[in-house]
Structures are given as C-alpha cells and as structure tokens.
Amino acid sequence: MAPNPDGSPLDDSAPDTVENPEAPERPVPEPTSEVPQVFEQDTVDAPARPPRPQLTLDFYAVSDVGRVRKDNQDSGYAGPWLLSVCDGVGGAARGDIASGTAVNELRQLDEPPGSADVLDRVNDGLHEAHVAIGHQVDQDPSLNGTSTTATVALFDGSRLALGHVGDSRAYLLRDGELSQLTNDHTFVQSLIDEGRITEVEARVHPHRNLILKALDGLHDVEPDLFALELVPGDRLFLCSDGACGVLDDARMTEILKDGSPEFCAIEMVRASLEAGSSDNVTCVVADVTEAAPDAGARDPMVVGAAADLRQRRPRALFRGHRSGDTGELEPVAAEIPEGIDYAIHADPPVDPEAMRYAPQAPPRFIWPRRLLALAVLVGLAWMVVGTAYWWSQRQYYVGEDDGVVVIYRGVEVPGLSSVHEVSDIEVADLPDGLARTIQDGIAADDYASAREKVQQIAGRVGDRDEDDAAEDEDEGLSDPLPASPTDQTSSDPTSPADSSGSASDFAPVE
C-alpha cells in the first residue's frame, strides 16, 4: 500500500473506491416487482398500514345437563371480549364446583383490551383459575380430586388469543370451511398422533374420557397458548366433549353454516343429544362482525354450573334479596346527621366500660341439657322394650320339646319363649298330621286354654288310623278332633273324653 504524497500512511477506514466527479451518473432503474423502489435517503420509515376496522362479537351460549347425568358439570361464558367453556371432572368430587370456579375467575378477563398482551392475560387468567380451585379444595377436603378442562378465547378487536387445557374444543368456520383450533390433551389423542388409531376408532375407544391435562389446583399445567387474526364473517365455536364427542366435522359444519349464533348453539345441543350424547353439552357460538358506530355492548351470558354455583353455596341465616347475592348491590349512601357517630339515634351504642362490668347471663348448661334429653330418650326406649317383653311373657302356645308335648311361655321368637310345663304325651304316639301341627306350634289365648289343648291331644294318643291321619294332614286342627273308639263307646261321665272337654273346643293354629 503506497503512502500519501505528504508521507502519511493511508487511512484503512477510507473507502476502497473514490468518487470521480467527472464520471457519468448511473441511471436509477425503474421499480418493478423484482426491483423495489430505491429512495435517495439512507433510511426510510415503514409505510403506515391502514387502520384495521374494529370488530365485535355477536355471541350466544347454552348448556344442557343431557339425558343421562343428574347434574350439570359444564360451565360456559360468552361476553363481548371473552368466550370460555369448562368441563368439570370428578364425579363425587363435584366437578361442577371446579368448572364454575374456573369460569367465575376467567370472566374477569372480559374487559376492553389494554396495554397488556392478550396471550399473557389468558395465561394469567388460567393460572388464577388454577389457584382458585386449589383454595376450594383446601376449604373442603371432600373436593380433593376435582378438576376441569378450560378452553378460553380472548378478543381484542382484531386478534383472538386462545388458551387450552383438556378436551374441550374451539373451532373456526371461515369461508364455509371448519378448522379445529385446539388439540385434545387426552390419551386417545396421543394414540391418534402416533398413528395407532383413527378418529373414528377414537370415538368408541374405552379410554376416550381419560384426560392428561386439567386444572385441579394441585399440579401446575402449561396450557396451549396461541393467537390468530380474525376477519369479518368468521364464526367461532367452543364446546365441551358432549358435543364434539358425538358429532363429526361435517355435521357441525352443516349446522354452523346457516342461522344466527343463538340458533346454531341451540341446534348444536339438540343434535348432540339426538346423536346419543351421554354427557353434559355446552356450546358457545360467536360471529365476528364489523362494529356499528352506535352499537352497544351486549350483556354477558353465564351458563351451566357457573350460573348455579351461588345457589348451591351454603347461605347465612339472614339472606339477601331473592334476586341474587347482595354483594353485587350498590352500597347505600350514608345519611347520618351531623354530630351523631352512629346510625340509629334512638339506640345509642353501649359504653365499652359499662359493658365490661355489666352483669353476665348465667350459663345455659348446654351439655347437661343434652345429656338429660339423651337420658329421656333412652328411658322411653327402655319402656317400650320392657312393655313388649312383658306382653310376650303373658302368651302361651303348645309345642314339642325332646319328643314330648309341652306348653311354652312367650312368643315363637328365638329368645322370647321358654318351656313352662312338660306333659307325658309322646309326639311319636300321635297321628302324623297332628304331630306336625304340634311341631309347628299351636297358639293359645292363655295358660288355661293351653292346658285344655294338651288334654285334647291326650285323647288322641294311640290313634294312628290312616284316615284320621290323612284328615289331620289336610285340614290340620281346623275341624273338631274325632273321639277315639274307646271314647265313642263310653258313657261314663268320668271317662277321658268327658274330662278333657268337648273336642269342638280345639282351636286351629293361627
């Protein structure tokens, strides 16, 4: 490298080429699609994009308990800026509490867009729902095991941010084509992704309800987060698996193509139930439209378990207005006159020192009263049992014990009868029909009646005539006992037949 004429070294930072003032200017090429416009300025500002039109959502939500379940564990929400569907899981652990709690936390996102990124807001909302469910489990351990799916769509006027956990779904209908926006976090979906089963097989898979991700308040879950640009004419559809689990894409597209959001949401629920859905069904449909200059915001819609959550919570003794929670009522402006520091002038507050030394009410003896009430109940129960036992021991019946005829005292209940008197009559000496009747027991009105029946039986000793045995077997003791041959020929008033009384007095077994 040659030095400068004055002997100084060349500057390495100088450009390699030197402009020649006498060199002709190079023509600037005309801009084409391949060659963009070149400006003389070194830097240029990016061209300003035309402002995009402000979009709004025309929405409708509906939830149905279905034809099998006894309670609705789905919750749905639709508002000007937020759409959400949560499907509770837990059965006896109250999945409706989980889904309702999640929706009531997520509904706080339904606000006009601000400086925060919509995806961050969705992520924070799902985290708050997760924490709120954990608080519910801490307060009520019986809820341990409850969880919920969550599909959330937050709108900022042009873009939609989605957060997803579980198997509820979000769809987009654009230009007549339906696209599934979310991916199920289920066991069967993992089999589909691996190519082991098809979509058709997944609908009847025995483990199709096994969820891999859910909000349960215990295990932190990373939700799927993504965003997409919306254009006027788009239709959004969010649903629980009670709808998408039984309806294919073609059927859902057919329903969503025509009609208002209200018609489509209701028709989707009806079609799901007719297709045999055995689960709760929740559907949210929203149309993306250009905002009218004078269009006002619609009231949000809360459906499913979230709408009934307050009604199922225990209420205090003094309830608020029947229209709902008094916490949502506007506070009443104070109208206390000046110089008075309490509300009711005729009832001034008690001086704390006076209250401190005021006479106290005597103790109310709560536990002694409870013990006394328990003792009274035990006494009444003992009286009832004693009366029943006393009555049973005044009853008698004729039966058999160790092969002989005896008189029992009591009723024919184990433990409530005992042998009162033993006769010398062998059951083996009696006709077969009469012997079986005695073994079953012959009721008597009192002890005298029982002795009379034993005397009647004594007159049948040795009488084993086959005709009499057949008559006893068929009719038991319902007919008068025939006298023995000896009794029929005897006219002595002191004979056994006379001493035992008339045979017609023998009572049948009752």
Side-chain angles (χ1 to χ4, degrees), residues 188-446:
V188 294
Q189 184 62 44
S190 64
L191 298 180
I192 295 174
D193 297 339
E194 296 172 2
R196 299 171 63 181
I197 62 175
T198 63
E199 289 279 356
V200 178
E201 294 172 339
R203 295 183 182 276
V204 295
H205 196 279
H207 301 300
R208 60 186 178 275
N209 295 326
L210 181 59
I211 300 176
L212 303 181
K213 285 185 180 182
L215 300 179
D216 59 2
L218 300 176
H219 309 89
D220 291 333
V221 177
E222 292 296 330
D224 295 343
L225 297 171
F226 55 95
L228 70 153
E229 296 287 337
L230 297 179
V231 297
D234 288 346
R235 172 163 283 183
L236 299 170
F237 173 51
L238 279 66
C239 66
S240 61
D241 62 337
C244 58
V246 296
L247 300 178
D248 55 17
D249 291 355
R251 179 60 176 149
M252 288 189 287
T253 303
E254 179 184 356
I255 297 175
L256 293 172
K257 275 186 175 181
D258 301 315
S260 64
E262 178 180 358
F263 170 82
C264 292
I266 297 175
E267 181 65 16
M268 196 70 72
V269 172
R270 185 194 63 80
S272 302
L273 297 179
E274 287 187 353
S277 178
S278 60
D279 202 352
N280 312 136
V281 183
T282 301
C283 297
V284 177
V285 180
D287 284 346
V288 180
T289 60
E290 293 187 7
D294 56 348
R298 287 184 52 192
D299 293 333
M301 301 181 64
V302 183
V303 296
D308 303 330
L309 189 58
R310 287 195 189 93
Q311 300 178 8
R312 287 194 296 268
R313 288 177 178 172
R315 297 182 178 181
L317 178 62
F318 299 98
R319 302 179 181 178
H321 192 270
R322 63 181 181 182
S323 62
D325 187 4
T326 55
E328 296 181 356
L329 300 179
E330 294 295 331
V332 179
E335 297 180 356
I336 301 177
E338 295 182 2
I340 299 179
D341 55 356
Y342 48 90
I344 304 177
H345 181 65
D347 187 15
V350 180
D351 181 49
E353 285 298 318
M355 178 62 70
R356 179 179 180 182
Y357 296 104
Q360 302 294 324
R364 297 182 179 273
F365 305 105
I366 297 178
W367 280 108
R369 290 184 178 184
R370 293 179 179 177
L371 292 177
L372 179 60
L374 180 62
V376 171
L377 292 177
V378 172
L380 291 176
W382 179 256
M383 291 176 59
V384 171
V385 173
T387 302
Y389 182 78
W390 172 83
W391 175 85
S392 68
Q393 297 308 302
R394 296 178 62 85
Q395 309 301 313
Y396 297 87
Y397 67 95
V398 179
E400 178 262 343
D401 181 59
D402 292 335
V404 298
V405 177
V406 298
I407 297 177
Y408 282 93
R409 179 180 181 179
V411 293
E412 296 184 64
V413 176
L416 294 180
S417 62
S418 60
V419 177
H420 181 68
E421 184 175 328
V422 181
S423 70
D424 57 354
I425 304 173
E426 297 287 339
V427 176
D429 298 334
L430 300 174
D432 293 340
L434 180 59
R436 285 192 295 269
T437 303
I438 295 173
Q439 291 173 354
D440 294 336
I442 303 175
D445 295 335
D446 49 20

Side-chain angles (χ1 to χ4, degrees), residues 69 72-75 85-103 126 129-137 140-151 165-168 185 209-221 241 279-280 305:
R69 302 294 180 88
N72 194 350
Q73 299 193 4
D74 286 0
S75 294
V85 169
C86 296
D87 185 357
V89 183
R94 298 295 298 274
D96 53 340
I97 297 293
S99 66
T101 302
V103 163
L126 289 172
H130 169 79
V131 173
I133 295 173
H135 289 165
Q136 291 283 352
V137 176
D140 187 358
S142 65
L143 299 178
N144 188 23
T146 186
S147 60
T148 182
T149 69
T151 300
V165 175
D167 62 349
S168 301
H185 299 147
N209 295 326
L210 181 59
I211 300 176
L212 303 181
K213 285 185 180 182
L215 300 179
D216 59 2
L218 300 176
H219 309 89
D220 291 333
V221 177
D241 62 337
D279 202 352
N280 312 136

Side-chain angles (χ1 to χ4, degrees), residues 126-177:
L126 289 172
H127 176 72
E128 292 298 327
H130 169 79
V131 173
I133 295 173
H135 289 165
Q136 291 283 352
V137 176
D138 292 340
Q139 295 175 4
D140 187 358
S142 65
L143 299 178
N144 188 23
T146 186
S147 60
T148 182
T149 69
T151 300
V152 187
L154 183 60
F155 182 58
D156 68 353
S158 61
R159 193 168 62 136
L160 190 73
L162 285 103
H164 173 66
V165 175
D167 62 349
S168 301
R169 291 185 181 180
Y171 293 87
L172 172 65
L173 181 68
R174 176 176 291 176
D175 298 330
E177 183 178 351

